[in-house]
Amino acid sequence: MASDSGRVIIVGAGPAGLLLALLLAQEGVNVDVVEAQGEIDSRPRGAGYGPAAVTVLRRAGVLNTIIDRGLKPDSFTWRKLDGTVIGRLSGLNRKNDIGGFVMLTVYDLAVVLWEALNDLPNAKVHWGHKVVSVGQDELSAWVECENGESLKGDFVVGCDGGGSSVRKCLFGTDFPGKTLDSIIVATNVRYDFAKHGWEDSNWIVDPEHWAVVAHIERNGTWRVSYGERPGLSHEDLQNGMADKLRRILPGSPRPDQYKVERFSPYVLHQRCVERMRVGRILLAADAAHLNNPMGGLGLTTGISDVSGLADCLCGIFDGKAQVDILDEYDRIRRDIYWNVTNQVSTRNLERIMKTPEELIKSQDPFFSLLDNAEDPEVFDKIEKNDMQLLVDFKQFYKSTTNGLANGDMNLVPWDRLVRYVSAKTGKVRLGDPIMKGSTDIDQLVANCALKVWVLEGDDWVRAVRTGEIEEVREILSPLSATEVPIIRCTGLNYLAHIAESKMDIPKNPTLFIKPGQAIGHPRAPIPVPKLSQAKCDYEGELTIVIGKDCKNVTEKDALDFVAGYVAGNDVSCRDWQLEKEKAGMMPQWCFGKSFDKYAPIGPAIVSTKVLGDAGGLRLTTHVNGELRQEANTSDLCFGVRRLVSFFSTGQTLQAGSLIMTGTPDGVAAVMNPPKWLQDGDEVVVEIENIGKLRNIIKFE
Ligand SMILES: *[C@@H]1O[C@H](CO)[C@@H](O)[C@H](O)[C@H]1NC(C)=O
Ligand SMILES: *[C@@H]1O[C@H](CO)[C@@H](O)[C@H](O)[C@H]1NC(C)=O
Ligand SMILES: *[C@@H]1O[C@H](CO)[C@@H](O)[C@H](O)[C@H]1NC(C)=O
Ligand SMILES: *[C@@H]1O[C@H](CO)[C@@H](O)[C@H](O)[C@H]1NC(C)=O
């Protein structure tokens, strides 16, 4: 994706801001999150996520952690004030593979998102930065903070909640909609609900004492949110709490029979801004719209907003969408608010403000569904309703050559590709390493500290990020032996080496081949068969990875077919290459270079997007720590473009095939006396920005 283009300033480190940051940063966009508070807000707010939100959280790679730390409710129950059940929906999580419902407090969600964001080198949260103004010109947008700092990017997104300072900068106090005639008091209560047969989420249907009672924490904390009349002072509300909880909680407990951990009254609104986009400044989630919390629609709508906005912004940075896709974001997300969020949340609240008798008589279509609560179609219907909140903005992609995008069509969607064994499942998968500034994948693996963005797709060329992050147990050759049809190798190719060998500069590259099955893993032994042990040699080489079949390619077009580069070692057995006794009258290159594992490659394929034509890179080979080869890839007589063009003349270079570009001076054979590789020797080929390929020689 857009590794270096694109910077977004997000205001607000609540769940919406952090999730947007994560979705963007995972796609390579640079993100600064600016938060007025010094830490994550811990006031009691929402806690429930429906199928639409769950889909987005899965895509962001955090769903498993959320499920580990939260709860998966199985039922919703509607009750009279005396606890009698009047409607029930259970088996919510029977379809575990899709959607589903999850409970985790907004605070804990923000912590999970913040932890995931910390893994990414291109995202930063600036705590204690209160935004006082926003600004923009034709090409950028910025925020200015109270402490005098300002941050500038391509776009600014206000995710700073109901009291949004970004919204106020744009629209002043204008926030169309209405304030409701009731307020809600949210409390966190510890009480033995299970003793009374209560579980998961419960709605108390009563005109005066309407409430929601939901299990929100594994440690036994429940959220009890009940309605109150507006205009009461904080003190009145606190004094009235014991009476409210006695009426609402099963068993009519006295205050010494439960513990209130938190108490927080808030006013209810149904409001939405007139525009969610003003040029390069955008609004999302509570900063853009508010609704009553019945059904958790505020959270789910906010999560759906940022999911759509992430797709729009990534599309712009990747050259797949024009900037005006943001008008679609504005139009559709406001429509979703008014058509779905506002209407459903209003009905959810009205439903529990009725008397139970009115509700049963009302023929409320949702409530009537509960008559058939065991019917799988009911779940499908509920899921479908919720999924309306999520809109796929990729449908509005249309490619562009102007605007912000770099416009380049890249052959591969990843920056670096490793094939690895998952620390968690032991499965072999593809990943894009999370580098955090270092490029030493070998060292990260040695320290058990390598994490990757998981890649999946039809094959390695098309593998895209799933959003999941995994820890790596072990890395393998980035392509398996069966994925490499052939390895083309270049003879003498470094100018200094040619000069030193007192040979003329060749007119054309010299080609020999190794079979694909000679591929070996990084950090693995290279087995040396008995007949090859006398004169075993190394050749550190920049290795080109072809990503797309090609023939007769011009030098100009050559990079369009190159997926990337990897470090390679063209392990060679010199006596079988050169000595008449063994090789015959002519030197032969293939037999003594084609033993199994004589072509280790690694640690990662680094894409052309990162390395271009791979010029100017330092290449070294060390044996047992001793520097043997040192070169600069700019010193190649035939560079990458020439090799691809020449080798493809009249013959197809197949996707997955490799071109080893030749080795510089310093192989064992030219030393005096030669220092042939011995059993147990460690050979490390290192190429700047690609990494280290480390192997141990193992005599069989
Ligand atoms: C339960 O967990 C919540 C959130 O982690 C915490 O605020 C609360 O103090 C915990 N309660 C107890 C009794 O441990
Ligand atoms: C919202 O409702 C309006 C009016 O019925 C309709 O034109 C529009 O397409 C709806 N939008 C969405 C996103 O559902
Ligand atoms: C390659 O070039 C030859 C002649 O130079 C031509 O006959 C052949 O069709 C070309 N093949 C491709 C795939 O362009
Ligand atoms: C390699 O050579 C190029 C061209 O002379 C130079 O710009 C580059 O800095 C060199 N790289 C290293 C690692 O020496």
Side-chain angles (χ1 to χ4, degrees):
M1 296 285 127
S3 347
D4 295 314
S5 63
R7 175 173 297 275
V8 176
I9 313 297
I10 296 170
V11 184
L18 293 171
L19 179 61
L20 177 61
L22 186 60
L23 292 169
L24 291 172
Q26 284 175 344
E27 296 295 335
V29 176
N30 299 305
V31 181
D32 286 290
V33 182
V34 189
E35 166 60 49
Q37 303 300 316
E39 57 191 6
I40 295 172
D41 185 352
S42 64
R43 283 171 304 166
R45 286 163 300 157
Y49 312 91
V54 165
T55 305
V56 179
L57 295 168
R58 175 185 290 120
R59 168 183 162 196
V62 291
L63 183 61
N64 288 341
T65 314
I66 289 171
I67 292 171
D68 282 351
R69 297 191 193 174
L71 297 164
K72 276 185 89 58
D74 190 61
S75 62
F76 293 149
T77 308
W78 283 258
R79 299 174 185 272
K80 293 188 188 173
L81 189 58
D82 67 7
T84 316
V85 174
I86 54 173
R88 186 172 160 82
L89 195 61
S90 62
L92 288 175
N93 280 304
R94 68 179 65 185
K95 294 207 299 188
N96 257 320
D97 50 327
I98 46 138
F101 291 82
V102 185
M103 302 292 279
L104 183 71
T105 63
V106 161
Y107 170 77
D108 288 316
L109 171 66
V111 171
V112 170
L113 295 168
W114 187 53
E115 285 169 1
L117 204 56
N118 271 328
D119 279 338
L120 306 183
N122 49 335
K124 184 164 193 253
V125 181
H126 306 259
W127 299 103
H129 281 57
K130 185 173 160 52
V131 168
V132 290
S133 70
V134 297
Q136 59 181 317
D137 57 25
E138 208 175 319
L139 291 174
S140 61
W142 56 85
V143 299
E144 271 156 23
C145 304
E146 204 172 50
N147 63 10
E149 275 182 56
S150 66
L151 287 106
K152 190 170 189 166
D154 298 297
F155 297 97
V156 167
V157 185
C159 294
D160 47 344
S164 171
S165 53
V166 177
R167 188 189 66 236
K168 287 175 187 161
C169 291
L170 296 175
F171 303 114
T173 54
D174 227 19
F175 200 5
K178 61 180 183 196
T179 298
L180 302 188
D181 201 19
S182 317
I183 65 162
I184 274 197
V185 177
T187 63
N188 280 3
V189 177
R190 295 182 68 80
Y191 179 60
D192 195 353
F193 287 90
K195 195 172 94 184
H196 300 275
W198 285 34
E199 53 187 28
D200 301 325
S201 291
N202 302 269
W203 307 66
I204 311 302
V205 180
D206 189 85
E208 194 180 351
H209 303 293
W210 50 271
V212 182
V213 180
H215 190 191
I216 56 164
E217 293 273 5
R218 290 210 163 169
N219 67 11
T221 296
W222 288 58
R223 168 72 43 80
V224 181
S225 297
Y226 54 82
E228 271 285 16
R229 281 171 292 126
L232 296 176
S233 70
H234 197 84
E235 206 184 352
D236 290 341
L237 292 169
Q238 225 151 7
N239 291 339
M241 182 172 64
D243 179 54
K244 278 287 190 181
L245 293 180
R246 184 178 55 76
R247 288 169 192 272
I248 293 163
L249 268 43
S252 307
R254 297 184 311 268
D256 62 340
Q257 292 173 302
Y258 55 80
K259 184 167 182 304
V260 176
E261 286 171 345
R262 285 185 171 272
F263 166 88
S264 174
Y266 52 97
V267 179
L268 302 181
H269 305 272
Q270 304 286 137
R271 294 178 186 276
C272 181
V273 282
E274 244 155 68
R275 296 290 304 275
M276 287 171 72
R277 170 189 182 197
V278 177
R280 289 177 174 270
I281 303 174
L282 298 130
L283 294 169
D286 285 3
H289 43 66
L290 293 173
N291 60 276
N292 82 73
M294 296 302 151
L297 279 122
L299 207 46
T300 306
T301 309
I303 287 173
S304 305
D305 279 353
V306 299
S307 164
L309 185 53
D311 282 342
C312 293
L313 294 173
C314 288
I316 293 169
F317 292 132
D318 278 347
K320 295 179 192 148
Q322 290 172 327
V323 178
D324 65 11
I325 194 174
L326 296 171
D327 289 333
E328 300 295 338
Y329 166 79
D330 167 51
R331 182 178 64 79
I332 290 171
R333 294 314 308 175
R334 280 185 297 112
D335 266 6
I336 297 274
Y337 173 81
W338 290 116
N339 291 8
V340 187
T341 309
N342 177 47
Q343 293 188 21
V344 176
S345 63
T346 301
R347 281 201 299 272
N348 284 346
L349 182 59
E350 284 169 359
R351 191 175 293 129
I352 62 171
M353 292 170 95
K354 292 185 157 71
T355 66
E357 294 69 29
E358 275 168 359
L359 176 58
I360 293 161
K361 270 207 318 251
S362 70
Q363 296 186 322
D364 172 334
F366 177 81
F367 203 72
S368 331
L369 277 179
L370 304 183
D371 294 343
N372 305 308
E374 292 299 311
D375 182 350
E377 276 179 27
V378 173
F379 296 100
D380 289 347
K381 205 156 181 170
I382 289 174
E383 182 168 11
K384 226 171 111 198
N385 278 338
D386 194 77
M387 290 301 280
Q388 290 180 85
L389 292 166
L390 201 56
V391 174
D392 179 10
F393 282 87
K394 288 186 179 160
Q395 66 185 295
F396 302 109
Y397 280 6
K398 43 183 184 258
S399 88
T400 163
T401 46
N402 47 29
L404 267 174
N406 57 23
D408 282 347
M409 280 299 292
N410 286 303
L411 185 54
V412 294
W414 35 265
D415 288 342
R416 291 180 162 79
L417 178 91
V418 292
R419 203 162 58 99
Y420 68 95
V421 179
S422 158
K424 194 168 75 191
T425 63
K427 288 205 178 109
V428 174
R429 305 183 81 178
L430 300 177
D432 195 341
I434 298 172
M435 307 296 291
K436 289 201 160 181
S438 148
T439 51
D440 197 344
I441 292 175
D442 177 73
Q443 187 65 45
L444 288 168
V445 175
N447 295 345
C448 300
L450 180 64
K451 290 188 187 176
V452 296
W453 286 298
V454 175
L455 301 171
E456 275 179 9
D458 291 344
D459 58 27
W460 63 273
V461 181
R462 278 165 279 267
V464 294
R465 287 187 191 174
T466 63
E468 197 183 346
I469 290 178
E470 274 206 332
E471 286 173 24
V472 169
R473 182 194 298 162
E474 176 185 345
I475 50 170
L476 307 173
S477 56
L479 301 183
S480 69
T482 55
E483 285 168 323
V484 179
I486 195 170
I487 306 166
R488 287 178 171 76
C489 304
T490 318
L492 224 53
N493 195 13
Y494 278 88
L495 292 167
H497 184 31
I498 297 169
E500 196 177 54
S501 322
K502 301 203 170 22
M503 302 214 204
D504 292 335
I505 293 182
K507 289 210 170 68
N508 295 304
T510 308
L511 171 71
F512 64 92
I513 60 174
K514 285 169 113 105
Q517 74 193 21
I519 290 294
H521 303 305
R523 303 182 60 79
I526 300 173
V528 178
K530 281 219 157 49
L531 88 170
S532 171
Q533 291 171 359
K535 296 186 175 177
C536 183
D537 210 343
Y538 47 82
E539 294 191 355
E541 305 197 13
L542 172 72
T543 302
I544 303 167
V545 184
I546 299 295
K548 191 174 174 186
D549 288 5
C550 58
K551 194 174 167 183
N552 291 358
V553 175
T554 62
E555 287 187 36
K556 180 171 159 285
D557 293 339
L559 293 193
D560 295 349
F561 301 91
V562 175
Y565 309 91
V566 64
N569 187 349
D570 172 15
V571 185
S572 304
C573 162
R574 298 295 178 202
D575 43 351
W576 285 95
Q577 180 183 340
L578 299 165
E579 292 175 8
K580 283 184 189 165
E581 291 294 292
K582 293 175 176 163
M585 299 312 287
M586 299 274 284
Q588 63 158 350
W589 291 8
C590 295
F591 179 72
K593 284 172 173 274
S594 297
F595 299 115
D596 290 351
K597 310 265 192 285
Y598 265 39
I601 55 168
I605 302 175
V606 182
S607 72
T608 44
K609 185 181 7 170
V610 177
L611 291 183
D613 67 359
L617 305 177
R618 181 170 186 258
L619 180 154
T620 58
T621 306
H622 286 83
V623 178
N624 299 329
E626 182 193 340
L627 179 66
R628 297 282 182 86
Q629 298 187 288
E630 183 172 16
N632 181 328
T633 56
S634 288
D635 197 32
L636 281 171
C637 177
F638 304 108
V640 169
R641 291 174 185 274
R642 178 73 198 280
L643 291 177
V644 172
S645 173
F646 181 76
F647 287 157
S648 72
T649 308
Q651 50 190 293
T652 304
L653 301 184
Q654 288 169 283
S657 59
L658 307 181
I659 298 175
M660 288 190 157
T661 59
T663 202
D665 182 39
V667 295
V670 301
M671 298 178 84
N672 189 10
K675 287 198 191 172
W676 304 118
L677 291 173
Q678 302 299 323
D679 189 29
D681 281 355
E682 182 195 65
V683 186
V684 180
V685 178
E686 179 172 8
I687 303 177
E688 191 183 347
N689 276 330
I690 295 178
K692 293 190 184 110
L693 169 66
R694 182 189 303 277
N695 295 99
I696 304 287
I697 300 299
K698 190 167 190 308
F699 282 9
E700 288 191 316

